[in-house]
């Protein structure tokens, strides 16, 4: 087998039609290539493909004149890139579902970070809450799945309470497909919330009955070094209330 090579290609302009990313992913899969395709904000499409040189050549041919392509060759640029070790060919920039972060006053105060995966909310209890500072690693203890119906719950709970601290949608990223990435203990994702945005990683550091992970902000345009988002933005995105206000009303 010849060693793997990689390219980055840009299909320019706003010409690529709605099905272009899906058609590119299908063709790459047929050719045995891995990597990803993503539509950019300006309407152009960015492709990272790696694998066999001949297959990469065939994919470039497809990009320059494939069945869904109505473009001229001038609009496709191709550059050599580093092989990153992808195990899938993914469509990026597509929502994988919803996420929610619930701040929870219980025996120990914590934030529950929940991501929709295969119809349930995979959940981690994060004692100090998420951070937008890439230098900060927050302990995240894996806890049982929750129903999606619990995502909007806010109010008194036992002697404590819960607020919806943030919510939105997310994309699954990384080199390995989900939920395999979670099984292996390294999952990369992009949040589109009201407070949290951009790339994050969950890295498992200890297995067993209560697996421990680290929640880390990735370095991107949404990173805010030195910030403390849970202190700066304490209010519920549902009601505008703080957790203390919800708990004091509930205990009256
Ligand atoms: Mn909790």
């Amino acid at each position: 087998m010849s060693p793997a090579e990689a390219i980055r290609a840009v299909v320019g302009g706003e010409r690529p039609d709605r099905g272009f990313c899906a058609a590119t992913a299908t063709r790459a899969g047929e050719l045995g290539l891995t990597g990803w395709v993503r539509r950019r904000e300006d309407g152009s499409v960015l492709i990272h493909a790696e694998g066999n040189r001949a297959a990469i050549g065939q994919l470039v041919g497809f990009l320059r004149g494939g069945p869904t392509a109505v473009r001229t060759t001038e609009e496709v640029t191709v550059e050599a890139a580093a092989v990153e070790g992808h195990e899938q060919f993914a469509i990026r920039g597509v929502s994988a579902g919803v996420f929610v972060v619930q701040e929870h006053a219980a025996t120990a105060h914590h934030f529950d970070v929940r991501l929709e995966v295969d119809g349930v909310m995979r959940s981690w209890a994060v004692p100090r809450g998420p951070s937008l500072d890439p230098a900060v690693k927050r302990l995240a203890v894996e806890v049982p799945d929750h129903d999606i119906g619990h995502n909007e719950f806010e109010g008194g709970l036992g002697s404590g309470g819960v607020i919806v601290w943030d919510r939105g949608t997310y994309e699954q990223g990384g080199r390995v497909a989900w939920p395999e990435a979670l099984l292996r203990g390294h999952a990369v994702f992009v949040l589109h919330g009201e407070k949290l945005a951009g790339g994050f990683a969950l890295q498992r550091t200890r297995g067993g009955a209560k697996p421990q992970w680290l929640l880390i902000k990735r370095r991107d345009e949404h990173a805010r070094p030195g910030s403390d988002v849970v202190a700066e933005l304490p209010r519920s995105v549902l009601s505008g209330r703080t957790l203390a206000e919800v708990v004091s009303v509930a205990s009256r």
Side-chain angles (χ1 to χ4, degrees), residues 138-155:
R138 288 281 156 87
L139 171 67
V141 180
E142 191 172 340
V143 294
D145 299 344
H146 267 56
D147 288 340
I148 293 175
H150 181 72
N151 287 358
E152 298 204 351
F153 176 76
E154 181 166 302

Side-chain angles (χ1 to χ4, degrees), residues 102-106 108 110-112 114 124-125 143 146 150 157 162:
Q102 287 164 312
E103 187 181 4
H104 186 182
H110 61 274
F111 292 76
D112 290 294
R114 311 187 198 278
W124 290 262
V143 294
H146 267 56
H150 181 72
L157 188 65
V162 171

Side-chain angles (χ1 to χ4, degrees), residues 1 51 164 233:
M1 231 177 98
V164 177
L233 301 171

Side-chain angles (χ1 to χ4, degrees), residues 55-78:
I56 288 175
Q58 286 183 270
L59 184 69
V60 170
F62 167 85
L63 296 175
R64 291 209 157 118
T68 64
V70 188
R71 295 179 308 276
T72 63
T73 53
E74 286 78 15
E75 288 177 277
V76 181
T77 60
V78 180

Side-chain angles (χ1 to χ4, degrees), residues 5 10 28 34 49 88 95 99 109 114-115 119 136 140 156 160 162 170 179-180 186 188 190 193 197 219 233:
E5 297 184 9
V10 176
T34 61
Q88 62 172 338
S95 174
F99 86 93
H109 170 263
R114 311 187 198 278
L115 300 169
V136 168
V162 171
Y170 83 103
E180 175 70 19
H186 182 73
V188 174
V190 178
R219 294 179 194 281
L233 301 171

